[in-house]
Amino acid sequence: MTNSEPSGVHDDTTAQLASVGIPVTEEGKERARRRLSEAAARRTPELRATWRKQLGVDPQRAA
């Protein structure tokens, strides 16, 4: 999630989820943000290099 997204995008998503019976709470949104942040912090350059090696991706071509 980026700060550049219009706020209406999140409202639309919340409304879409609610329309199919999935409640969205502020607590749940904060928990999801925290988990995404923690996951991003685990993706270090060293870990990415390991993944590229395991997958056989040429490091010069990896974006």
Side-chain angles (χ1 to χ4, degrees):
M1 179 171 62
T2 64
N3 291 333
S4 63
E5 294 175 359
S7 63
V9 169
H10 302 295
D11 295 337
D12 290 345
T13 302
T14 300
Q16 288 175 345
L17 290 169
S19 74
V20 294
I22 301 171
V24 178
T25 64
E26 288 303 316
E27 178 185 338
K29 288 188 225 179
E30 182 55 38
R31 186 173 51 247
R33 288 183 192 108
R34 187 175 54 249
R35 291 183 67 191
L36 287 170
S37 177
E38 291 167 355
R42 289 190 301 268
R43 292 189 296 269
T44 63
E46 294 81 11
L47 183 58
R48 289 175 187 264
T50 300
W51 291 339
R52 286 192 296 272
K53 183 177 179 182
Q54 288 175 345
L55 295 171
V57 176
D58 180 4
Q60 301 301 318
R61 296 192 57 169

